[in-house]
Coordinates of all heavy atoms in Angstrom, one line a residue:
M1 N 13.5 5.9 6.2 CA 12.4 6.4 5.5 C 11.4 5.2 5.2 O 11.8 4.1 5.0 CB 12.9 6.9 4.1 CG 11.8 7.5 3.3 SD 12.5 8.2 1.8 CE 11.1 8.5 0.9
V2 N 10.1 5.5 5.2 CA 9.1 4.5 5.1 C 8.5 4.6 3.7 O 8.3 5.7 3.2 CB 8.0 4.6 6.2 CG1 6.9 3.6 5.9 CG2 8.6 4.4 7.5
K3 N 8.2 3.5 3.0 CA 7.5 3.5 1.8 C 6.3 2.6 1.8 O 6.2 1.7 2.6 CB 8.4 2.9 0.7 CG 9.4 3.9 0.1 CD 9.8 3.5 -1.3 CE 10.6 4.6 -1.9 NZ 10.2 4.9 -3.2
L4 N 5.3 3.0 1.0 CA 4.1 2.2 0.9 C 4.3 1.4 -0.4 O 4.4 2.0 -1.5 CB 2.8 3.0 0.8 CG 2.5 3.8 2.0 CD1 1.3 4.7 1.7 CD2 2.2 2.9 3.2
R5 N 4.5 0.1 -0.3 CA 4.8 -0.7 -1.5 C 4.0 -2.0 -1.5 O 3.3 -2.4 -0.5 CB 6.3 -1.0 -1.6 CG 6.8 -1.9 -0.6 CD 8.2 -2.4 -1.0 NE 9.2 -1.4 -0.8 CZ 10.5 -1.6 -0.5 NH1 10.9 -2.9 -0.3 NH2 11.4 -0.7 -0.3
L6 N 4.1 -2.7 -2.6 CA 3.4 -4.0 -2.8 C 4.3 -5.1 -2.3 O 5.5 -5.1 -2.5 CB 3.0 -4.3 -4.3 CG 2.0 -3.3 -4.9 CD1 1.9 -3.6 -6.4 CD2 0.7 -3.3 -4.2
K7 N 3.6 -6.1 -1.6 CA 4.3 -7.3 -1.1 C 3.5 -8.5 -1.7 O 2.4 -8.7 -1.4 CB 4.3 -7.3 0.4 CG 5.0 -8.4 1.0 CD 5.0 -8.2 2.5 CE 5.8 -9.3 3.2 NZ 5.8 -9.1 4.6
R8 N 4.2 -9.3 -2.5 CA 3.6 -10.4 -3.2 C 3.2 -11.5 -2.2 O 4.0 -11.9 -1.3 CB 4.5 -11.0 -4.2 CG 3.7 -12.1 -5.0 CD 4.5 -12.5 -6.2 NE 3.8 -13.6 -6.8 CZ 3.7 -13.8 -8.1 NH1 4.3 -13.0 -8.9 NH2 3.1 -14.9 -8.6
C9 N 2.0 -12.0 -2.3 CA 1.5 -13.1 -1.4 C 1.1 -14.4 -2.2 O 1.3 -15.5 -1.7 CB 0.2 -12.6 -0.6 SG 0.5 -11.3 0.4
G10 N 0.6 -14.2 -3.3 CA 0.1 -15.4 -4.1 C 1.3 -16.2 -4.6 O 2.3 -15.7 -5.0
R11 N 1.1 -17.6 -4.6 CA 2.1 -18.4 -5.1 C 2.0 -18.6 -6.6 O 3.0 -18.4 -7.3 CB 2.0 -19.8 -4.4 CG 3.2 -20.7 -4.7 CD 3.2 -21.9 -3.8 NE 4.4 -22.6 -3.9 CZ 4.6 -23.8 -3.4 NH1 3.7 -24.3 -2.7 NH2 5.7 -24.4 -3.6
K12 N 0.8 -19.0 -7.1 CA 0.6 -19.2 -8.5 C 0.1 -18.0 -9.2 O 0.5 -17.6 -10.2 CB -0.3 -20.4 -8.8 CG 0.3 -21.7 -8.4 CD -0.6 -22.8 -8.8 CE 0.0 -24.2 -8.4 NZ -0.9 -25.3 -8.7
Q13 N -0.9 -17.4 -8.5 CA -1.5 -16.1 -9.0 C -0.9 -15.0 -8.2 O -0.7 -15.0 -7.0 CB -3.0 -16.1 -8.8 CG -3.7 -17.2 -9.7 CD -5.2 -17.1 -9.4 OE1 -5.7 -16.7 -8.4 NE2 -6.0 -17.6 -10.4
A14 N -0.7 -13.9 -8.9 CA -0.2 -12.7 -8.3 C -1.2 -12.0 -7.5 O -2.2 -11.5 -8.0 CB 0.4 -11.7 -9.3
I15 N -1.1 -12.0 -6.1 CA -1.9 -11.3 -5.2 C -1.0 -10.5 -4.3 O 0.0 -11.0 -3.9 CB -2.8 -12.3 -4.4 CG1 -3.7 -13.0 -5.3 CG2 -3.6 -11.5 -3.3 CD1 -4.5 -14.1 -4.6
Y16 N -1.3 -9.3 -4.1 CA -0.4 -8.4 -3.3 C -1.0 -7.8 -2.1 O -2.2 -7.5 -2.1 CB 0.1 -7.2 -4.2 CG 0.8 -7.7 -5.5 CD1 0.1 -7.9 -6.7 CD2 2.2 -8.0 -5.4 CE1 0.8 -8.3 -7.8 CE2 2.9 -8.4 -6.5 CZ 2.2 -8.5 -7.7 OH 2.8 -8.9 -8.8
R17 N -0.2 -7.6 -1.1 CA -0.6 -6.8 0.1 C 0.1 -5.4 -0.1 O 1.2 -5.3 -0.5 CB -0.1 -7.4 1.4 CG -0.9 -8.5 1.9 CD -0.6 -8.8 3.3 NE -1.5 -9.9 3.7 CZ -1.0 -11.1 4.2 NH1 0.3 -11.2 4.3 NH2 -1.8 -12.0 4.5
I18 N -0.6 -4.4 0.3 CA 0.0 -3.1 0.3 C 0.4 -2.9 1.8 O -0.3 -2.9 2.7 CB -1.0 -2.0 -0.1 CG1 -1.5 -2.3 -1.5 CG2 -0.4 -0.6 0.0 CD1 -2.7 -1.5 -1.9
V19 N 1.7 -2.6 1.9 CA 2.3 -2.6 3.2 C 3.2 -1.3 3.4 O 3.7 -0.7 2.4 CB 3.2 -3.8 3.5 CG1 2.4 -5.1 3.6 CG2 4.4 -3.9 2.6
A20 N 3.3 -0.8 4.6 CA 4.2 0.2 5.0 C 5.5 -0.5 5.4 O 5.5 -1.3 6.4 CB 3.7 1.1 6.1
I21 N 6.6 -0.2 4.8 CA 7.8 -1.0 5.0 C 9.0 0.0 4.9 O 9.0 1.0 4.2 CB 7.9 -2.1 4.0 CG1 9.0 -3.1 4.3 CG2 8.2 -1.6 2.6 CD1 8.9 -4.4 3.5
D22 N 10.1 -0.3 5.7 CA 11.3 0.5 5.7 C 12.0 0.3 4.3 O 12.0 -0.8 3.7 CB 12.2 0.0 6.8 CG 13.4 0.9 7.0 OD1 13.3 2.1 6.7 OD2 14.5 0.4 7.4
V23 N 12.6 1.4 3.8 CA 13.2 1.4 2.5 C 14.3 0.4 2.4 O 14.5 -0.2 1.4 CB 13.7 2.8 2.2 CG1 14.6 2.8 0.9 CG2 12.6 3.8 2.0
R24 N 15.0 0.2 3.5 CA 16.2 -0.7 3.4 C 15.9 -2.2 3.4 O 16.8 -3.0 3.1 CB 17.1 -0.4 4.6 CG 17.7 1.0 4.5 CD 18.3 1.4 5.8 NE 17.3 1.5 6.8 CZ 17.4 2.1 8.0 NH1 18.6 2.5 8.3 NH2 16.4 2.2 8.8
S25 N 14.7 -2.5 3.7 CA 14.3 -4.0 3.7 C 13.9 -4.4 2.3 O 13.4 -3.6 1.5 CB 13.2 -4.3 4.7 OG 12.1 -3.6 4.4
R26 N 14.0 -5.7 2.0 CA 13.6 -6.2 0.7 C 12.1 -6.3 0.5 O 11.4 -6.1 1.5 CB 14.3 -7.5 0.5 CG 14.2 -8.5 1.6 CD 14.9 -9.8 1.3 NE 14.0 -10.9 1.6 CZ 14.1 -11.5 2.8 NH1 15.1 -11.2 3.6 NH2 13.3 -12.5 3.0
R27 N 11.7 -6.6 -0.6 CA 10.3 -6.6 -1.0 C 9.5 -7.6 -0.1 O 8.4 -7.3 0.4 CB 10.0 -7.0 -2.4 CG 8.6 -7.0 -2.8 CD 8.4 -7.5 -4.2 NE 8.6 -8.9 -4.3 CZ 8.4 -9.7 -5.3 NH1 8.1 -9.1 -6.5 NH2 8.7 -11.0 -5.3
E28 N 10.0 -8.7 0.2 CA 9.3 -9.7 1.0 C 9.7 -9.6 2.5 O 9.5 -10.5 3.3 CB 9.6 -11.1 0.5 CG 9.3 -11.4 -0.9 CD 7.9 -11.0 -1.3 OE1 7.0 -11.2 -0.5 OE2 7.7 -10.6 -2.4
G29 N 10.4 -8.6 2.9 CA 10.9 -8.4 4.3 C 9.8 -8.1 5.2 O 8.6 -8.1 4.9
R30 N 10.2 -7.8 6.5 CA 9.2 -7.6 7.5 C 8.6 -6.2 7.4 O 9.3 -5.2 7.2 CB 9.9 -7.7 8.9 CG 9.0 -7.5 10.0 CD 9.7 -7.8 11.3 NE 8.7 -7.7 12.4 CZ 9.1 -7.6 13.7 NH1 10.3 -7.6 14.0 NH2 8.1 -7.5 14.6
D31 N 7.3 -6.1 7.4 CA 6.6 -4.8 7.2 C 6.2 -4.2 8.5 O 6.1 -4.9 9.5 CB 5.3 -5.0 6.3 CG 4.5 -6.1 6.8 OD1 3.8 -6.0 7.9 OD2 4.4 -7.2 6.1
L32 N 6.0 -2.9 8.5 CA 5.6 -2.2 9.7 C 4.1 -2.4 10.0 O 3.7 -2.6 11.1 CB 5.9 -0.7 9.6 CG 7.4 -0.3 9.3 CD1 7.5 1.2 9.0 CD2 8.2 -0.7 10.6
R33 N 3.4 -2.3 8.9 CA 1.9 -2.5 9.0 C 1.3 -2.8 7.6 O 1.7 -2.3 6.6 CB 1.3 -1.2 9.5 CG -0.2 -1.4 9.9 CD -0.7 -0.2 10.7 NE -2.1 -0.4 10.9 CZ -2.8 0.6 11.4 NH1 -2.3 1.7 11.7 NH2 -4.1 0.4 11.5
K34 N 0.3 -3.7 7.6 CA -0.4 -4.0 6.4 C -1.5 -3.0 6.3 O -2.3 -2.8 7.2 CB -1.0 -5.4 6.5 CG 0.1 -6.5 6.6 CD -0.6 -7.8 6.8 CE 0.5 -8.9 7.0 NZ 1.2 -8.9 8.3
V35 N -1.6 -2.3 5.1 CA -2.6 -1.2 5.0 C -3.5 -1.5 3.8 O -4.4 -0.6 3.6 CB -1.9 0.2 4.8 CG1 -1.1 0.5 6.1 CG2 -1.0 0.2 3.6
G36 N -3.4 -2.6 3.1 CA -4.3 -2.8 2.0 C -4.1 -4.2 1.3 O -3.2 -4.9 1.7
F37 N -4.8 -4.4 0.3 CA -4.8 -5.7 -0.4 C -5.2 -5.3 -1.9 O -6.0 -4.5 -2.2 CB -5.9 -6.6 0.2 CG -6.1 -7.8 -0.5 CD1 -5.2 -8.9 -0.4 CD2 -7.2 -8.0 -1.4 CE1 -5.4 -10.1 -1.1 CE2 -7.4 -9.2 -2.1 CZ -6.5 -10.2 -1.9
Y38 N -4.5 -6.0 -2.8 CA -4.7 -5.8 -4.2 C -4.6 -7.1 -5.0 O -3.6 -7.8 -4.9 CB -3.7 -4.8 -4.8 CG -3.7 -4.5 -6.3 CD1 -4.9 -4.1 -6.9 CD2 -2.6 -4.7 -7.0 CE1 -5.0 -3.9 -8.2 CE2 -2.7 -4.5 -8.4 CZ -3.8 -4.1 -9.0 OH -3.9 -3.9 -10.3
D39 N -5.7 -7.4 -5.7 CA -5.7 -8.6 -6.6 C -5.9 -8.1 -8.0 O -7.0 -7.7 -8.4 CB -6.9 -9.4 -6.2 CG -7.0 -10.8 -7.0 OD1 -6.1 -10.9 -7.9 OD2 -7.8 -11.6 -6.6
P40 N -4.8 -8.1 -8.8 CA -4.9 -7.5 -10.2 C -5.7 -8.4 -11.1 O -6.3 -7.9 -12.1 CB -3.5 -7.4 -10.6 CG -2.8 -8.4 -9.8 CD -3.5 -8.5 -8.5
I41 N -5.9 -9.7 -10.9 CA -6.6 -10.6 -11.7 C -8.1 -10.4 -11.6 O -8.8 -10.2 -12.6 CB -6.2 -12.1 -11.5 CG1 -4.7 -12.3 -11.8 CG2 -7.1 -13.0 -12.3 CD1 -4.1 -13.6 -11.3
K42 N -8.6 -10.3 -10.4 CA -10.0 -10.1 -10.2 C -10.3 -8.6 -10.0 O -11.5 -8.2 -9.9 CB -10.5 -10.8 -8.9 CG -10.4 -12.3 -9.0 CD -10.8 -13.0 -7.7 CE -10.6 -14.5 -7.8 NZ -10.9 -15.1 -6.5
N43 N -9.3 -7.8 -10.1 CA -9.4 -6.3 -10.0 C -10.1 -5.9 -8.7 O -11.0 -5.1 -8.7 CB -10.1 -5.8 -11.2 CG -9.7 -4.3 -11.4 OD1 -8.8 -3.8 -10.8 ND2 -10.5 -3.6 -12.2
K44 N -9.7 -6.5 -7.6 CA -10.3 -6.2 -6.3 C -9.2 -5.4 -5.5 O -8.1 -5.7 -5.5 CB -10.7 -7.4 -5.5 CG -11.9 -8.1 -6.0 CD -12.3 -9.2 -5.1 CE -13.5 -9.9 -5.7 NZ -14.0 -11.0 -4.8
I45 N -9.7 -4.3 -4.8 CA -8.8 -3.5 -4.0 C -9.5 -3.3 -2.6 O -10.7 -3.0 -2.6 CB -8.6 -2.1 -4.7 CG1 -8.0 -2.3 -6.0 CG2 -7.8 -1.2 -3.8 CD1 -7.9 -1.0 -6.8
Y46 N -8.7 -3.5 -1.6 CA -9.2 -3.1 -0.2 C -8.1 -2.2 0.4 O -6.9 -2.6 0.4 CB -9.4 -4.3 0.7 CG -9.5 -4.0 2.1 CD1 -10.7 -3.4 2.6 CD2 -8.4 -4.1 3.0 CE1 -10.8 -3.0 3.9 CE2 -8.5 -3.7 4.3 CZ -9.7 -3.2 4.8 OH -9.8 -2.8 6.1
L47 N -8.5 -1.1 0.9 CA -7.5 -0.1 1.5 C -8.0 0.3 2.8 O -9.2 0.6 3.0 CB -7.4 1.1 0.6 CG -6.8 0.9 -0.8 CD1 -6.8 2.2 -1.6 CD2 -5.4 0.4 -0.8
N48 N -7.1 0.3 3.8 CA -7.3 0.8 5.1 C -6.9 2.3 5.1 O -5.8 2.7 5.3 CB -6.5 0.1 6.2 CG -6.8 0.5 7.6 OD1 -7.5 1.5 7.8 ND2 -6.3 -0.2 8.5
V49 N -7.9 3.1 4.7 CA -7.6 4.5 4.4 C -7.1 5.3 5.6 O -6.1 6.0 5.4 CB -8.9 5.2 3.8 CG1 -8.6 6.7 3.5 CG2 -9.3 4.5 2.5
P50 N -7.6 5.1 6.8 CA -7.0 5.9 7.9 C -5.5 5.5 8.1 O -4.7 6.4 8.4 CB -7.8 5.5 9.1 CG -9.1 5.1 8.5 CD -8.8 4.5 7.2
A51 N -5.2 4.3 7.9 CA -3.8 3.8 8.1 C -2.9 4.4 7.0 O -1.8 4.9 7.3 CB -3.6 2.3 8.1
I52 N -3.4 4.4 5.8 CA -2.6 5.0 4.7 C -2.4 6.5 4.9 O -1.3 7.1 4.7 CB -3.3 4.7 3.3 CG1 -3.2 3.3 3.0 CG2 -2.7 5.5 2.2 CD1 -4.0 2.8 1.8
L53 N -3.5 7.2 5.3 CA -3.4 8.6 5.6 C -2.4 8.9 6.7 O -1.6 9.9 6.6 CB -4.7 9.2 5.9 CG -5.7 9.3 4.8 CD1 -7.1 9.8 5.2 CD2 -5.2 10.1 3.6
Y54 N -2.4 8.1 7.7 CA -1.4 8.2 8.8 C 0.0 8.2 8.3 O 0.8 9.1 8.7 CB -1.7 7.2 9.9 CG -0.6 7.1 10.9 CD1 -0.6 8.0 12.0 CD2 0.4 6.1 10.9 CE1 0.4 8.0 12.9 CE2 1.4 6.1 11.8 CZ 1.4 7.0 12.9 OH 2.4 7.0 13.8
F55 N 0.3 7.2 7.5 CA 1.7 7.0 7.0 C 2.1 8.1 6.0 O 3.2 8.6 6.0 CB 1.9 5.7 6.4 CG 2.1 4.6 7.4 CD1 1.1 3.6 7.7 CD2 3.3 4.5 8.2 CE1 1.3 2.7 8.6 CE2 3.5 3.5 9.1 CZ 2.5 2.6 9.3
L56 N 1.1 8.6 5.2 CA 1.4 9.7 4.3 C 1.7 11.0 5.0 O 2.5 11.8 4.6 CB 0.2 9.8 3.3 CG 0.1 8.7 2.2 CD1 -1.2 9.0 1.4 CD2 1.3 8.7 1.3
E57 N 0.9 11.2 6.1 CA 1.1 12.4 6.9 C 2.5 12.4 7.6 O 3.1 13.4 7.9 CB 0.0 12.6 7.9 CG -1.3 13.0 7.2 CD -2.5 13.0 8.2 OE1 -2.3 12.6 9.3 OE2 -3.6 13.4 7.7
K58 N 3.0 11.2 7.9 CA 4.3 11.1 8.6 C 5.4 11.1 7.6 O 6.6 11.0 8.0 CB 4.3 9.8 9.4 CG 3.3 9.7 10.5 CD 3.6 10.7 11.6 CE 2.6 10.6 12.7 NZ 2.8 11.6 13.7
G59 N 5.1 11.2 6.3 CA 6.2 11.3 5.3 C 6.5 10.1 4.5 O 7.5 10.1 3.8
A60 N 5.7 9.1 4.6 CA 5.9 7.9 3.8 C 5.7 8.2 2.3 O 4.8 9.0 1.9 CB 4.9 6.8 4.2
Q61 N 6.5 7.6 1.4 CA 6.4 7.8 0.0 C 5.8 6.5 -0.7 O 6.3 5.4 -0.5 CB 7.8 8.0 -0.6 CG 8.4 9.3 -0.1 CD 7.7 10.5 -0.6 OE1 7.3 10.6 -1.7 NE2 7.5 11.5 0.3
P62 N 4.7 6.6 -1.4 CA 4.1 5.5 -2.1 C 4.9 5.2 -3.4 O 5.4 6.1 -4.0 CB 2.7 5.9 -2.4 CG 2.7 7.4 -2.5 CD 3.8 7.8 -1.5
T63 N 5.0 3.9 -3.7 CA 5.6 3.6 -5.0 C 4.7 4.0 -6.1 O 3.5 4.3 -5.8 CB 6.0 2.1 -5.1 OG1 4.8 1.3 -4.9 CG2 7.0 1.7 -4.0
G64 N 5.1 3.9 -7.4 CA 4.2 4.3 -8.5 C 2.9 3.5 -8.6 O 1.9 4.1 -8.7
T65 N 3.0 2.2 -8.4 CA 1.8 1.4 -8.5 C 0.9 1.6 -7.3 O -0.3 1.7 -7.5 CB 2.2 -0.1 -8.5 OG1 3.2 -0.3 -9.5 CG2 1.0 -1.0 -8.8
V66 N 1.4 1.7 -6.1 CA 0.6 2.0 -5.0 C 0.0 3.4 -5.1 O -1.2 3.6 -4.7 CB 1.4 1.9 -3.7 CG1 0.6 2.3 -2.5 CG2 1.9 0.5 -3.5
H67 N 0.7 4.4 -5.6 CA 0.2 5.7 -5.9 C -1.0 5.6 -6.8 O -2.1 6.3 -6.5 CB 1.2 6.6 -6.4 CG 0.8 8.0 -6.6 ND1 0.2 8.4 -7.8 CD2 0.9 9.1 -5.8 CE1 -0.1 9.7 -7.7 NE2 0.3 10.1 -6.5
D68 N -0.9 4.9 -7.9 CA -2.0 4.8 -8.9 C -3.2 4.1 -8.2 O -4.4 4.5 -8.5 CB -1.6 4.0 -10.1 CG -0.5 4.7 -10.9 OD1 -0.4 6.0 -10.7 OD2 0.2 4.1 -11.7
I69 N -3.0 3.0 -7.5 CA -4.1 2.3 -6.8 C -4.8 3.3 -5.8 O -6.0 3.3 -5.7 CB -3.6 1.1 -6.1 CG1 -3.1 0.0 -7.1 CG2 -4.7 0.5 -5.2 CD1 -2.4 -1.1 -6.5
S70 N -4.0 4.0 -5.0 CA -4.6 4.9 -4.1 C -5.4 6.1 -4.7 O -6.4 6.5 -4.2 CB -3.5 5.5 -3.2 OG -2.8 4.5 -2.5
K71 N -4.8 6.5 -5.9 CA -5.5 7.6 -6.6 C -6.9 7.2 -7.1 O -7.8 7.9 -7.0 CB -4.6 8.0 -7.7 CG -4.9 9.3 -8.4 CD -3.9 9.7 -9.4 CE -4.2 11.0 -10.1 NZ -3.2 11.3 -11.1
K72 N -6.9 5.9 -7.6 CA -8.2 5.4 -8.1 C -9.2 5.3 -7.0 O -10.4 5.5 -7.2 CB -8.1 4.0 -8.7 CG -7.5 4.0 -10.1 CD -7.4 2.5 -10.5 CE -6.7 2.4 -11.8 NZ -6.5 1.0 -12.2
A73 N -8.8 5.0 -5.8 CA -9.7 4.8 -4.6 C -10.0 6.2 -4.0 O -10.9 6.2 -3.1 CB -9.0 3.9 -3.6
G74 N -9.3 7.2 -4.4 CA -9.6 8.6 -3.8 C -9.0 8.9 -2.5 O -9.5 9.7 -1.8
V75 N -7.9 8.3 -2.2 CA -7.2 8.5 -0.9 C -6.6 9.9 -0.9 O -6.6 10.5 0.2 CB -6.1 7.4 -0.7 CG1 -5.2 7.8 0.5 CG2 -6.7 6.1 -0.6
F76 N -6.1 10.4 -2.0 CA -5.4 11.7 -2.0 C -6.4 12.8 -1.8 O -6.0 13.9 -1.3 CB -4.5 11.8 -3.2 CG -3.4 10.8 -3.2 CD1 -3.4 9.8 -4.1 CD2 -2.4 10.9 -2.3 CE1 -2.3 8.9 -4.1 CE2 -1.3 10.0 -2.3 CZ -1.3 9.0 -3.2
T77 N -7.6 12.7 -2.3 CA -8.6 13.7 -2.1 C -8.9 13.8 -0.6 O -9.1 14.9 -0.1 CB -9.9 13.4 -2.9 OG1 -10.4 12.1 -2.5 CG2 -9.6 13.4 -4.3
E78 N -9.0 12.7 0.1 CA -9.2 12.7 1.6 C -8.0 13.3 2.3 O -8.2 14.0 3.3 CB -9.5 11.3 2.1 CG -10.8 10.7 1.6 CD -11.1 9.4 2.2 OE1 -10.7 9.1 3.3 OE2 -11.7 8.6 1.5
L79 N -6.8 13.1 1.8 CA -5.6 13.7 2.4 C -5.7 15.2 2.3 O -5.4 15.9 3.3 CB -4.4 13.2 1.7 CG -3.0 13.7 2.2 CD1 -2.8 13.2 3.6 CD2 -1.9 13.3 1.3
H80 N -6.1 15.8 1.2 CA -6.2 17.2 1.0 C -7.3 17.8 1.9 O -7.2 19.0 2.4 CB -6.4 17.6 -0.4 CG -5.3 17.3 -1.3 ND1 -4.0 17.9 -1.1 CD2 -5.1 16.4 -2.3 CE1 -3.2 17.4 -2.0 NE2 -3.8 16.5 -2.8
F81 N -8.4 17.1 2.1 CA -9.5 17.6 3.0 C -9.1 17.6 4.4 O -9.5 18.5 5.2 CB -10.7 16.7 2.9 CG -11.5 16.9 1.6 CD1 -12.0 15.8 0.9 CD2 -11.7 18.1 1.0 CE1 -12.7 15.9 -0.3 CE2 -12.4 18.3 -0.1 CZ -12.9 17.2 -0.8
N82 N -8.2 16.7 4.9 CA -7.7 16.7 6.2 C -6.8 17.8 6.6 O -6.6 18.2 7.7 CB -7.1 15.4 6.6 CG -8.1 14.3 6.6 OD1 -9.3 14.5 6.7 ND2 -7.7 13.0 6.6
Q83 N -6.1 18.4 5.6 CA -5.1 19.4 5.9 C -5.7 20.8 6.0 O -6.5 21.4 5.9 CB -4.0 19.5 4.8 CG -3.2 18.2 4.8 CD -2.1 18.2 3.7 OE1 -2.2 19.0 2.8 NE2 -1.2 17.3 3.8

């Protein structure tokens, strides 16, 4: 099963990549694809919406934080329009 989760990148400051990753791998493990970027300090979000929609249509489950970030960006409204 694939999940959309955060992967920490920053050493001193918390900066995260949003990745599609297998459930059995750890948080810093090898990801299937990078689908976004999140900086909570500067409150910047970049999402590759077509890639996120692709993984959601294939059955990927977003974690709670990724779900909230995607909801703010309006990804789920685009998912409903495509169906």
Side-chain angles (χ1 to χ4, degrees):
M1 182 175 170
V2 176
K3 278 203 172 229
L4 296 174
R5 71 166 73 148
L6 296 175
K7 184 175 183 179
R8 186 172 173 144
C9 296
R11 189 171 189 188
K12 291 184 180 180
Q13 293 180 336
I15 298 172
Y16 299 95
R17 281 196 181 121
I18 301 170
V19 296
I21 194 166
D22 189 29
V23 169
R24 295 168 291 193
S25 60
R26 49 181 224 262
R27 182 185 72 176
E28 305 305 328
R30 185 172 181 196
D31 50 71
L32 300 173
R33 187 167 177 192
K34 296 173 184 75
V35 295
F37 173 80
Y38 175 57
D39 185 356
I41 296 169
K42 296 179 183 174
N43 203 16
K44 290 187 179 181
I45 300 171
Y46 166 75
L47 298 175
N48 184 351
V49 177
I52 292 173
L53 292 176
Y54 170 78
F55 281 108
L56 288 174
E57 289 171 356
K58 297 294 181 186
Q61 297 293 318
T63 59
T65 308
V66 174
H67 183 271
D68 293 341
I69 292 168
S70 302
K71 193 173 179 182
K72 282 183 189 175
V75 171
F76 295 110
T77 57
E78 293 184 30
L79 180 66
H80 294 297
F81 286 136
N82 290 343
Q83 292 180 347

